Amino acid sequence: SLPITAEHGLAMLDAALGLDLPAVVASPMNLSAPAGERHALLRGLVRKAPRKPAGSGGSAGAGTVFGAGFAELDEEAQRGLVLEVVRENVAAVLGHADQSAIEDDTAFGELGFDSLMSIELRNRLRTVTGAKLAGTVIFDHPTPVALAEFVRTTVLGSRSRTAAVATAGGTDEPIAVVGMACRFPGGVTSPEGLWRLVSEGLDGTSEFPANRGWPDLYDPDPERTGSSYVRTGGFLHGADGFDPEFFGISPREATAMDPQHRLLLETAWEALENAGIDPTSLRGSRTGVYTGLMHHDYAPRVGRYAASLEGFVGTSTAASVASGRIAYTLGLEGPSMTVDTACSSSLVATHLAVQALRQGECS
C-alpha cells in the first residue's frame, strides 16, 4: 500500500467530515497503475444501494419496517414506539440484557456513553428507522426521551418545534416581561422579596458569611492590604446552597463551577416557573438565552485546586459557557450568547434579546 503523508491525510479527513456516511476508509490510489486496475478497485469498494419498495416515497423512515404505517399512529403511540426502539438500542450499545436499566431522562453521558458509542447508536437507529441522523445526535438530544422525539419527527419527514411561549406576531407587537427571578443581598430570593426590601427600606447588608471558610479579614487600618476596615457588606449567604443533582451536574463539576453559573441556572428555572411555564416543556423550542456577565474572578481562585478538579475548571469558569449551560440544561435551541460590556452587560444582553425577538430569531 502507498504511504499517506500528513498533508494528504488531513485533506482526506476534511473530505470525510463532509460526507454523510457511517464509515469511510482512507486509501490512497496508485494513479500510475493501468486504468483497468484502478476501475476494478473502485468497483470493488462500491456497494449497491438497496432497492426501495414501490410507493415508499421519500420521507425519512420510508421503506423500513419501522416506517410502515407509522404516520397513521396517534402521537402518543408514535412516541411510545420510538422511545422503546431508542431504549432497546441504548441498552444494546451499553451491553445490558434488557432496557429496564435505561431511564428516559438520564443523560447519555451519565449512562456511560462515549464518542464511539454515540456513533454505534446513531448507526443502529438509522438502520432500524431509516431516519437521517448526524453523528452528534446524542449530544444535540442528550437523553433517550429527547432523542426519541427527534427521531420521531425526523421519521415523519419534518422537524416539529413547539414553543410554549407565544412569539410576537410582527415587529410592531409589544414585548412583555412575563416572569422574573433574582438573588440579592439581604436574603432576597424572589422578585417579591426585592420589592419588600425596597418598599420597606430594609437593610441589605450583613456581616461576613460564616460558611465560606474565610479568615478574619477585619482590620481598622484602611491602608493594610488584604484586609477590610468594615465588618459588613452585601453578600448572598445562600450561594453555597446549589443542588447539582437537580440539574444533572456532578458534585465535582459543581465545585469547579463559577457561582454565577449556579445562580443563573437556579434563576433561569425559577423565572420560567414564575411565568407559569414548565421549564421542561421548552425542550426543542427556539427559545434564546442572553446573559450579561462581567465578573471573572472565580477562575484564578479555583485554579489552585485544578489537579482535583481536572477537566472542569476551564468550562466551569468561562463566561461564554454560562448562557450555553442554561440552553443545554433546558434543551433550548434558539440563540445563546453571553455578553460582557462591564457595567452595562445586563442592559446590552436585554437589548440583544429584544432585537432577536423582533427579528424572529428566537421565541
Side-chain angles (χ1 to χ4, degrees):
S1 60
L2 297 177
I4 301 176
T5 65
E7 183 179 2
H8 190 189
L10 290 173
M12 288 193 290
L13 176 61
D14 289 340
L17 291 175
L19 300 175
D20 185 21
L21 296 172
V24 179
V25 177
S27 178
M29 180 180 293
N30 184 1
L31 299 179
S32 62
E37 292 182 16
R38 298 201 306 270
H39 294 165
L41 174 62
L42 290 174
R43 284 195 298 270
L45 294 174
V46 174
R47 185 172 54 185
K48 289 185 178 181
R51 183 184 299 275
K52 279 189 176 182
S56 63
S59 61
T64 67
V65 175
F66 185 85
F70 182 72
E72 282 71 35
L73 298 175
D74 61 55
E75 193 169 295
E76 183 177 354
Q78 290 175 356
R79 286 198 168 98
L81 174 60
V82 181
L83 182 57
E84 183 179 0
V85 169
V86 168
R87 282 163 54 93
E88 285 179 354
N89 284 277
V90 168
V93 171
L94 292 173
H96 295 307
D98 57 62
Q99 56 175 290
S100 60
I102 309 301
E103 297 184 5
D104 298 348
D105 294 317
T106 303
F108 288 113
E110 294 181 37
L111 289 172
F113 267 75
D114 57 24
S115 297
L116 290 177
M117 288 179 173
S118 71
I119 296 298
E120 183 181 350
L121 177 60
R122 187 281 302 265
N123 292 346
R124 283 173 169 270
L125 292 176
R126 285 178 65 165
T127 300
V128 174
T129 68
K132 185 177 180 180
L133 305 173
T136 59
V137 68
I138 76 163
F139 300 102
D140 298 329
H141 311 278
T143 64
V145 68
L147 178 58
E149 180 61 12
F150 176 74
V151 171
R152 183 184 76 87
T153 54
T154 303
V155 167
L156 292 174
S158 63
R159 180 73 196 282
S160 63
R161 296 172 179 267
T162 306
V165 183
T167 58
T171 56
D172 295 329
E173 290 290 329
I175 295 175
V177 176
V178 296
M180 296 177 63
C182 60
R183 296 287 189 276
F184 285 104
V188 173
T189 59
S190 67
E192 294 78 12
L194 178 60
W195 175 250
R196 185 169 58 255
L197 178 75
V198 175
S199 63
E200 297 179 12
L202 303 179
D203 187 0
T205 62
S206 64
E207 294 186 357
F208 283 44
N211 58 351
R212 301 189 186 179
W214 292 355
D216 184 6
L217 299 175
Y218 176 73
D219 190 293
D221 182 4
E223 301 300 324
R224 182 180 176 184
T225 59
S227 64
S228 170
Y229 62 91
V230 295
R231 297 182 181 273
T232 60
F235 302 102
L236 299 182
H237 287 264
D240 62 332
F242 181 68
D243 183 359
E245 185 178 356
F246 180 81
F247 293 101
I249 296 171
S250 70
R252 196 159 69 97
E253 183 179 6
T255 300
M257 281 174 62
D258 188 319
Q260 295 176 105
H261 290 210
R262 307 177 207 160
L263 294 169
L264 281 168
L265 282 173
E266 291 177 345
T267 52
W269 187 281
E270 292 174 9
L272 292 170
E273 288 187 328
N274 183 259
I277 300 170
D278 178 358
T280 62
S281 69
L282 295 181
R283 186 169 297 278
S285 70
R286 295 175 60 247
T287 304
V289 180
Y290 291 83
T291 304
L293 198 65
M294 63 174 284
H295 293 293
H296 315 286
D297 51 358
Y298 191 69
R301 287 167 171 76
V302 77
R304 70 187 68 174
Y305 306 105
S308 61
L309 301 174
E310 186 177 3
F312 292 116
V313 174
T315 56
S316 295
T317 57
S320 57
V321 176
S323 56
R325 189 184 292 278
I326 296 172
Y328 180 81
T329 300
L330 298 178
L332 312 179
E333 299 184 10
S336 177
M337 179 181 294
T338 301
V339 178
D340 180 3
T341 54
C343 296
S344 62
S345 295
S346 59
L347 179 62
V348 174
T350 302
H351 172 74
L352 291 173
V354 170
Q355 290 297 105
L357 281 168
R358 293 200 181 282
Q359 295 172 13
E361 296 175 359
C362 63
S363 58

